Amino acid sequence: MMPLIVPVALGLAPLAALAEVPPALLLAPQVMTDWKAVFGRIEARDRLPARARLGGTLVELTVSEGDQVTAGQVLGRILDEKLSFQLSALQAQEAALQAQLDNAATELKRGEELLARGVTTAQNLDALRTQVTVLRGQLDAVIAQARVVEQQAAEGAVLAPVAGRVLDVPLARGAVIQAGEEVALIGGGGLYLRLAVPERHAAALQDGALMQIEGPEGAMQGRLERIYPLIENGRVLADVSAEGLSDRFVDARVLVRLPLATRTALMVPETALVARAGLDFVAVQTGDAVTLRAVVPGAPQTVAGVAMVEILSGLQAGDTVLTDGAAAAAAATGASHD
């Protein structure tokens, strides 16, 4: 079922004084806007997955759907037992090379003392120095390899890419996962509304246009900030920014009213209508005479805090309408139809 087009007044300045309705009102055309009611979907501007940087077993998971997280927060921990064995092997190699290096350094010192007494040759001393240099390089390489393994083990921590709310956690503790697999989905960076508007209304959409939003927190105002040029399935996609959108339910649908066109209309207070025999009348004062005129009212709406009704036919600009219809009907001299 297609949503109805609901007219709402834009030019409210002439009616601003109607907070207290005067006894008589001189009708003048008011600028109106025709609004198209559509549904918008609340979406997060940044929807990023927190992925595993290491393959292994998910041994810890600290978040669930709906939790608020900060950027860099640890969401879970992945354990790869092979890394601990590799680190133990490298540490053993480091200890062995360190012992060989200490022994080679001792031999080098002894060779220097013997060379000073003329007991050994410079060639033997050079061989000892080379051995010390080689062992020191091998030790540095093993230490670097151990640091790589330690860094790989540290990457088992799953970090939140952005601050926001956890939208989905597809895994459970104990799951075996591969590197790059999604552990949690984070929505952050603020919220916006994604609209899918029928393409016949595409020409009426304008960047920066103000629109009405009826969300769970109440009525609010939004601004059209982006219109996508690609039409899909007869729909034009557009983004609306609005302050105060709740991130409690992402992808929730809310009612949005889009401005399509402007026109002029005659508005009278709802209290000016009088119902008789199934017809609606409005009391019009002409000089000292009061006459009831049959009218066709439109949709009721609130303008500047006053319940107003659009008059589709029966009145014209310049008529003086009595706003207290019940009292005016008692004093009316008759009824007529235009």
Side-chain angles (χ1 to χ4, degrees), residues 38-302:
V38 298
F39 281 99
R41 189 173 67 245
I42 299 177
E43 294 190 0
R45 294 189 180 274
D46 299 325
R47 185 177 293 197
L48 299 177
R51 297 189 182 275
R53 298 176 293 171
L54 177 71
T57 303
L58 186 63
V59 296
E60 182 181 352
L61 188 62
T62 60
V63 295
S64 60
E65 291 85 349
D67 291 347
Q68 287 282 356
V69 297
T70 58
Q73 178 179 336
V74 177
L75 309 182
R77 195 170 300 277
I78 300 169
L79 177 63
D80 185 357
E81 295 182 353
K82 297 188 301 294
L83 295 179
S84 61
F85 297 144
Q86 293 177 14
L87 186 59
S88 298
L90 291 173
Q91 290 174 346
Q93 293 181 28
E94 179 184 352
L97 288 172
Q98 184 65 52
Q100 294 179 28
L101 179 60
D102 293 341
N103 183 62
T106 302
E107 290 293 333
L108 176 60
K109 183 177 181 181
R110 184 180 298 111
E112 290 174 347
E113 294 175 352
L114 294 175
L115 182 62
R117 296 201 300 262
V119 176
T120 186
T121 63
Q123 182 179 3
N124 291 335
L125 187 62
D126 291 339
L128 292 175
R129 288 197 182 99
T130 302
Q131 185 180 6
V132 170
T133 302
V134 170
L135 290 173
R136 185 174 288 117
Q138 292 177 352
L139 180 61
D140 292 340
V142 170
I143 293 175
Q145 292 178 10
R147 289 177 179 174
V148 171
V149 175
E150 290 175 352
Q151 179 61 33
Q152 289 178 342
E155 289 179 353
V158 181
L159 306 180
V162 293
R165 187 179 292 273
V166 179
L167 304 181
D168 186 27
V169 182
L171 300 177
R173 188 172 57 183
V176 178
I177 60 178
Q178 300 294 326
E181 193 170 346
E182 180 180 317
V183 177
L185 182 63
I186 312 298
L191 300 172
Y192 70 98
L193 287 175
R194 171 64 57 83
L195 306 181
V197 183
E199 61 180 315
R200 65 179 180 273
H201 300 307
L205 298 177
Q206 300 293 333
D207 288 331
L210 298 179
M211 54 198 60
Q212 301 171 351
I213 301 173
E214 297 180 10
E217 295 77 23
M220 63 185 68
Q221 193 175 64
R223 183 180 299 275
L224 189 64
E225 66 175 22
R226 178 179 299 176
I227 303 173
Y228 293 90
L230 182 62
I231 296 179
E232 297 180 354
N233 298 323
R235 300 281 174 170
V236 178
L237 297 181
D239 294 342
V240 176
S241 61
E243 296 292 337
L245 288 175
S246 173
D247 64 348
R248 182 181 180 186
F249 297 108
V250 178
D251 283 349
R253 299 202 308 164
V254 298
L255 185 64
V256 181
R257 301 189 187 276
L258 303 175
L260 297 182
T262 58
R263 59 185 175 84
T264 58
L266 297 177
M267 306 288 294
V268 300
E270 193 173 11
T271 56
L273 291 178
V274 180
R276 287 186 175 180
L279 299 176
D280 293 306
F281 296 89
V282 171
V284 178
Q285 184 173 10
T286 304
D288 295 333
V290 177
T291 304
L292 290 181
R293 287 191 190 176
V295 297
V296 177
Q301 52 201 279
T302 301

